[in-house]
Amino acid sequence: MAVELITYLDWDSRQLGVTSACVDLYRNPEAAFDVSMLDEVDAAFITLKLPAARIDLANRLLQKGAALADTELTFELDAERTIEWPSPPRGLRVELRDTVEPEPFAGLAEEMRLSRFFSDPRVGEAKALGLWRESLRNHCRGFADGLVV
């Protein structure tokens, strides 16, 4: 498999206690990739990022017995297009921020119970909760592209 498609995820591996990796076909959607190539990835937990044009790979994974743990939809907006966003309700303020104090958001980890980490019995509730708590802290501390608060 083309090495540039595989990224081993140190942070995820530490949080989950198993070697984790990501195969990202967004970076190269036309890459020659077959599901059998996943056998070359030395990881117990693999995130596979597929553009919509490669949904055939998801179907093949399911046919081979893979479990679909979670999906994430990503939308692309035209930067030239003007979007009319609704106004927030009276008394509510919305800000775009680079960082924010993490403690007010700590309880959101409990709300992530529909995530792939909570749904995977090999991860377990304690690890999933710890992962989301640390992830939320990191996002609030600036390890995100941006925050809407």
Side-chain angles (χ1 to χ4, degrees):
M1 180 187 323
V3 174
E4 68 270 6
L5 298 177
I6 306 169
T7 304
Y8 285 91
L9 307 171
D10 295 333
W11 184 86
D12 299 62
S13 297
R14 285 192 308 274
Q15 296 297 317
L16 296 172
V18 297
T19 304
S20 303
C22 178
V23 177
D24 188 351
L25 293 179
Y26 275 105
R27 290 189 254 162
N28 190 353
E30 301 304 317
F33 180 83
D34 186 83
V35 294
S36 64
M37 294 176 173
L38 290 174
D39 294 337
E40 299 174 31
V41 181
D42 184 23
F45 184 88
I46 302 171
T47 297
L48 182 59
K49 295 185 178 185
L50 298 174
R54 300 300 302 272
I55 198 67
D56 61 301
L57 293 174
N59 291 331
R60 279 190 247 146
L61 281 168
L62 291 170
Q63 289 168 352
K64 288 182 75 122
L68 179 61
D70 192 18
T71 61
E72 179 178 302
L73 298 176
T74 304
F75 296 92
E76 188 175 304
L77 296 174
D78 181 350
E80 303 298 318
R81 184 173 160 222
T82 302
I83 297 174
E84 294 295 325
W85 297 101
S87 298
R90 174 179 252 143
L92 180 68
R93 191 175 84 239
V94 177
E95 294 181 31
L96 295 175
R97 306 277 302 268
D98 292 324
T99 63
V100 66
E101 176 59 40
E103 289 314 308
F105 300 96
L108 289 176
E110 291 283 346
E111 302 302 320
M112 303 304 288
R113 293 194 177 271
L114 296 178
S115 77
R116 68 182 182 266
F117 302 112
F118 277 104
S119 65
D120 189 333
R122 296 165 297 182
V123 173
E125 185 172 327
K127 282 184 183 175
L129 193 55
L131 182 142
W132 279 112
R133 284 181 179 148
E134 186 63 22
S135 182
L136 286 163
R137 277 193 290 272
N138 286 341
H139 280 75
C140 290
R141 292 176 179 149
F143 297 109
D145 291 337
L147 301 168
V148 178
V149 293

